[in-house]
Amino acid sequence: MPLTTAFLILAAQGVPARAVILDATFKDKPYGKVTYVRGLVPGRGMERTVTMEVDDESGRYITIEKRTYAAGGAPTSVVRTHYDALEQITVTLTYSGLKAIVTHQTGDDEPETEEFPLEAEGAKLSDPSQFWFFGTVPPKNTKVVFWEYSLDKNSWVEKTVTYTGIAELKLGEKTVRAHRINISKDTNFYVDDNGMPYKSSQETGAGTLTLVRREGVD
């Protein structure tokens, strides 16, 4: 289901969600587009859904990832579904205390489930930054440190999110006032007053993935 459809469903339910579309480049080459939806869910905290539609020399595929958080930023689940010309793969991550329960399913095959306990002493999973810009702006240099199970790395990772303050950002022919957020050492985000991304840059093992909001789309 395209992410824009997910946004319309949330809107029909009266949930305050916002959506933006961003163009993606990978290693400075056109890579596709991303639709980003973020909103508060009454009684359930926050939901964020990101759909990436890739169309390059290797083919076309769509990946939809929905993350949910309880009040305060405690993660509850991640559902990632990948579609391509050959198959559909769904990965579901559920948090239970300091344990990640991950289920993989390919097509109509039987799902396979594994459990991954977090054994880091004093570990915290809550990420309050997920609620930044829902009416409030964090003080400059606010830092959040937490653990997250990474579906990309298939392991627990410690992450640091830092709000570094206001920055001017050039987007096409205009300059906007943006809030800059650094995520660990590999990702920089520039967001508007509602926390919706203007631009992001992520360093991956294979190259840099850059997302830039389409002009006139918010």
Side-chain angles (χ1 to χ4, degrees):
M1 178 175 61
L3 203 128
T4 47
T5 302
F7 167 69
L8 292 174
I9 291 174
L10 288 172
Q13 295 173 341
V15 177
R18 294 178 180 271
V20 295
I21 298 175
L22 306 102
D23 290 309
T25 58
F26 185 61
K27 294 190 290 189
D28 297 323
K29 295 181 179 179
Y31 194 60
K33 73 173 185 178
V34 167
T35 309
Y36 182 102
V37 176
R38 178 175 183 257
L40 295 175
V41 180
R44 289 195 293 153
M46 195 275 284
E47 290 183 353
R48 187 180 75 241
T49 306
V50 178
T51 295
M52 173 170 280
E53 301 177 51
V54 174
D55 193 357
D56 63 7
E57 63 273 7
S58 64
R60 175 176 172 79
Y61 67 84
I62 299 175
T63 300
I64 304 174
E65 182 176 279
K66 177 179 178 181
R67 292 179 176 264
T68 60
Y69 295 84
T76 55
S77 66
V78 181
V79 180
R80 178 185 293 179
T81 306
H82 173 91
Y83 304 88
D84 61 30
L86 300 176
E87 60 188 2
Q88 173 182 327
I89 301 172
T90 300
V91 182
T92 302
L93 163 61
T94 303
Y95 288 94
S96 178
L98 294 179
K99 181 169 60 178
I101 304 171
V102 182
T103 300
H104 292 259
Q105 184 171 18
T106 301
D108 296 326
D109 294 348
E110 285 293 318
E112 298 180 357
T113 299
E114 294 182 89
E115 297 184 358
F116 302 93
L118 175 58
E119 298 176 351
E121 185 176 352
K124 296 181 180 180
L125 302 189
S126 291
D127 175 13
S129 72
Q130 295 298 329
F131 290 84
W132 289 353
F133 305 105
F134 282 115
T136 60
V137 177
K140 184 178 179 180
N141 295 323
T142 296
K143 182 182 295 186
V144 176
V145 181
F146 59 97
W147 284 81
E148 176 182 277
Y149 190 83
S150 170
L151 294 179
D152 297 317
K153 297 181 179 180
N154 294 317
S155 65
W156 287 95
V157 296
E158 187 176 32
K159 302 184 75 172
T160 301
V161 178
T162 306
Y163 172 62
T164 64
I166 301 295
E168 289 192 346
L169 177 66
K170 187 75 171 179
L171 290 177
E173 298 299 318
K174 66 179 181 180
T175 299
V176 298
R177 173 183 176 275
H179 301 275
R180 181 173 177 173
I181 299 170
N182 295 337
I183 303 178
S184 297
K185 297 180 179 180
D186 57 8
T187 304
N188 292 320
F189 264 100
Y190 295 87
V191 303
D192 63 19
D193 290 338
N194 295 305
M196 302 300 287
Y198 279 126
K199 180 179 180 179
S200 73
S201 178
Q202 180 180 5
E203 298 296 331
T204 72
T208 303
L209 175 64
T210 302
L211 308 179
V212 179
R213 187 191 298 192
R214 288 187 178 178
E215 187 173 358
V217 177
D218 53 32

